[in-house]
């Protein structure tokens, strides 16, 4: 056989092997990695529904001690968490010992301390479920139900990088005001028969308070991460400028990812793939506001990108902001485990899983049907983007085997 013919045959074999890899991965069952990911998916499915009002019965530890022990360099909670329902139930019902203005930021929140000394962040309801936030994809107030839905999406995707969140109803008159600091109390007011507060933050205004229905306010409660895991803040390499007429480099330079790959911590370790996972997560929830992100301190780039502050999500179910996916389509790489999980969520499985995961949350229904449909539609967009990368540069360059299962300290 002539050299030219041998090269043609070799190229054909390599192409066939690549197509086989894509086919097997697309099905999620044909490789060892695919079978492993399928088992993890089935395990997630079986633990998705949470029992309302669950309590810890087999341990003398508090719910807060249990949750604190879950945290590791690469996960906020493990894949096997039979106590999760009990911890969320405690978050939704534990007595409030102290209430203060929220930590620094642009949006209204309150810092609560629950029975046993556990700090949580309370974000109040600002919109009805079917309200559509118009304008820029990062417009509007924080959405408390978005925090709840984002936590459960983190569970469904198998990332396990989001702090625990649950819906909660608090009575401002009997639960909050008696234990509130003077700083928080000074921001309370009445609108008719409704109790309101406006807190302290960059955009907090007395003219724009959050109001309860009577004295009872709906909101979300986010579990504060343990103090033994201090956070480090990073500027997101694909952050927006938030200035009209001024573009960030990634918005006009299609080779921008190559520059990012040369910068620490993206030049080695799992961080760049975490950024791409986060882009997929943010696109699904419609979050175009991740200008910074947090990891654990002194991690040498090995810590996960923690999925904090997801409340600028689920604002407009009709808007699919493709620019959120820029890290994915500019770098054209994604974890094999993420690709496999996304394929297992096709055909309405994602929205069905979200319904099941949130069915027993105190703030149910967490999402409206248009937002659930948007999850399935956006998932198809993510899969199409990855397939396009596979077609242009091949599966070996696109689908990256990277499983950073670091042991707990």
């Amino acid at each position: 056989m002539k050299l030219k013919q041998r090269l043609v045959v070799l190229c054909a074999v390599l192409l066939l092997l690549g197509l086989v890899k894509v086919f097997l991965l697309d099905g999620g069952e044909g490789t060892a990695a695919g079978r492993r990911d399928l088992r993890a998916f089935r395990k997630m499915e079986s633990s998705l529904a949470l029992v309302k009002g669950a309590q810890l019965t087999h341990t003398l530890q508090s719910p807060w001690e249990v949750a604190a022990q879950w945290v590791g360099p690469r996960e906020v909670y493990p894949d096997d968490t039979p106590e999760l329902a009990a911890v969320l139930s405690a978050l939704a019902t534990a007595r409030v010992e102290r209430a203060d203005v929220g930590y620094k930021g642009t949006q209204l929140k309150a810092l609560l301390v629950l029975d046993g000394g556990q700090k949580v962040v309370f974000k109040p309801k600002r919109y009805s479920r079917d309200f559509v936030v118009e304008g820029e994809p990062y417009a509007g107030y924080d959405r408390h139900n978005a925090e709840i839905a984002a936590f459960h999406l983190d569970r469904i995707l198998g990332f396990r990088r989001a702090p625990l969140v649950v819906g909660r109803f608090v009575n401002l008159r009997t639960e909050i005001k008696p234990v509130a600091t003077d700083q928080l109390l000074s921001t309370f007011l009445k609108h008719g028969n409704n109790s309101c507060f406006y807190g302290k933050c960059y955009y907090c205004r007395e003219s724009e308070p959050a109001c309860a229905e009577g004295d009872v306010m709906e909101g979300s409660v986010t579990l504060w991460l343990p103090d033994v895991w201090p956070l480090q803040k990073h500027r997101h390499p694909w952050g927006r400028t938030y200035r009209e007429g001024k573009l960030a480099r990634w918005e006009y330079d299609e080779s921008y990812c190559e520059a990012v790959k040369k910068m620490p911590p993206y030049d080695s370790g799992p961080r760049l793939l975490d950024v791409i996972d986060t882009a997929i997560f943010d696109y699904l929830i419609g979050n175009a506001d991740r200008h910074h992100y947090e990891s654990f301190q002194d991690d040498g780039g090995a810590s996960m990108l923690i999925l904090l502050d997801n409340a600028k999500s689920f604002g407009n179910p009709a808007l699919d902001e493709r620019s959120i996916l820029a890290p994915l389509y500019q770098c054209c790489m994604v974890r094999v485990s993420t690709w496999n999980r996304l394929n297992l969520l096709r055909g309405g499985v994602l929205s069905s899983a979200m319904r099941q995961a949130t069915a027993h949350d105190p703030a149910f229904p967490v999402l409206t049907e248009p937002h659930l449909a948007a999850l399935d539609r956006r998932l198809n967009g993510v899969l199409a983007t990855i397939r396009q990368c596979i077609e242009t540069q091949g599966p070996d360059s696109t689908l990256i085997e990277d499983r950073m299962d670091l042991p707990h300290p």
Side-chain angles (χ1 to χ4, degrees), residues 76 87 118 237:
V76 175
V87 175
Q118 178 61 53

Side-chain angles (χ1 to χ4, degrees), residues 14-56:
L14 290 174
L15 177 61
L16 180 61
L17 289 173
L19 291 173
V20 167
K21 178 178 180 180
V22 174
F23 174 77
L24 292 175
L25 286 170
D26 192 63
E29 301 181 38
T31 65
R35 290 189 292 272
R36 178 171 48 189
D37 290 336
L38 180 60
R39 288 194 297 271
F41 179 76
R42 297 303 181 208
K43 188 174 184 179
M44 179 277 296
E45 280 189 316
S46 66
S47 63
L48 204 54
L50 300 172
V51 178
K52 193 172 184 178
Q55 295 183 340
L56 293 176

